[in-house]
Amino acid sequence: MLNKYARAFFTRVLTPFAALLLRLGVSPDAVTLIGTAGVMAGALVFFPMGEFFWGTIVITIFVFSDLVDGNMARQAGISSRWGAFLDSTLDRVADGAIFGGFALWYAGNGDDNVLCAVAIFCLASGQVVSYTKARGESIGLPVAVNGLVERAERLVISLVAAGLAGLHEFGVPGVQVLLPIGLWIVAVGSLITLVQRVVTVRRESAEADAAEAAAAGPGSGTAR
């Protein structure tokens, strides 16, 4: 849901900035690469040190590159399969860095093996949720379901929770608990989304197989 409405809003807001970058001779691929590098730096430098507020600020600045690069490509009329592939691939890298940063904190100074495991589960389940849709579509199925927690929801929940938890550094009491709550919400939501997509692919594949068998007719099977 966030992916549908928030993306449309921010695309309109960032259109002038995308046009400016094009006039300056910046390519959409360069924006994609710089944005991913910025997200990785914010997550893997600040989060393992427990600097959740500043890490979230850095990541938020660079995460909008995911909207700017596509906007640039459309304005310039240079949308391509390569650009879509690069964007999707580096999205997975950025997501892995964010939840990897959380896992490193809890494996180190955060000293909480359970939350470290939850962060790793968020990382892995997010990758698999994306894979199930891509793989289903690659075998010709529509995968007509988004699920409870998509990438936009995973990022918003985890980054808002981390940013607010980081306010503890400025003397705000009790906010540290928000990051564990956010990670648990993402973990459970990702699991539900994964189940939703797997069930959908199973149903759609059964329907497609039945339709093919019906179209082939009763006499087309191989004799045994």
Side-chain angles (χ1 to χ4, degrees):
M1 185 176 293
L2 280 176
N3 203 34
K4 178 180 178 182
Y5 296 106
R7 179 175 288 270
F9 170 76
F10 283 111
T11 295
R12 290 194 298 272
V13 171
L14 294 172
T15 292
F17 179 62
L20 173 63
L21 291 177
L22 287 171
R23 288 196 295 272
L24 294 174
V26 180
S27 72
D29 287 354
V31 172
T32 303
L33 291 168
I34 292 170
T36 302
V39 170
M40 292 178 66
L44 297 178
V45 172
F46 289 94
F47 285 174
M49 298 190 298
E51 297 283 347
F52 295 118
F53 178 80
W54 294 115
T56 299
I57 294 297
V58 172
I59 290 170
T60 301
I61 291 171
F62 284 99
V63 81
F64 283 106
S65 66
D66 188 45
L67 299 176
V68 174
D69 54 5
N71 193 317
M72 292 171 65
R74 287 189 295 274
Q75 287 191 50
I78 55 175
S79 297
S80 65
R81 291 182 176 86
W82 162 250
F85 169 82
L86 180 66
D87 187 57
S88 179
T89 299
L90 293 185
D91 281 350
R92 308 287 85 74
V93 174
D95 293 357
I98 291 170
F99 290 104
F102 292 142
L104 287 172
W105 162 251
Y106 286 116
N109 292 334
D111 194 23
D112 193 320
N113 289 336
V114 172
L115 287 175
C116 177
V118 172
I120 293 172
F121 178 82
C122 289
L123 190 163
S125 60
Q127 307 294 323
V128 177
V129 164
S130 298
Y131 174 80
T132 53
K133 189 172 183 67
R135 181 59 178 146
E137 291 173 343
S138 75
I139 58 175
L141 300 175
V143 195
V145 62
N146 290 322
L148 181 64
V149 176
E150 296 182 87
R151 182 175 186 255
E153 285 83 3
R154 290 196 301 272
L155 289 179
V156 169
I157 294 169
S158 58
L159 291 178
V160 168
L164 292 176
L167 293 176
H168 174 70
E169 305 168 35
F170 302 96
V172 180
V175 290
Q176 308 97 303
V177 71
L178 294 176
L179 180 55
I181 291 173
L183 288 175
W184 275 108
I185 291 173
V186 171
V188 173
S190 296
L191 179 60
I192 293 172
T193 303
L194 178 59
V195 171
Q196 288 176 307
R197 290 191 175 180
V198 169
V199 169
T200 298
V201 169
R202 179 173 175 80
R203 174 179 53 79
E204 291 178 349
S205 63
E207 292 171 352
D209 290 343
E212 288 180 2
S220 61
T222 302
R224 296 189 178 184

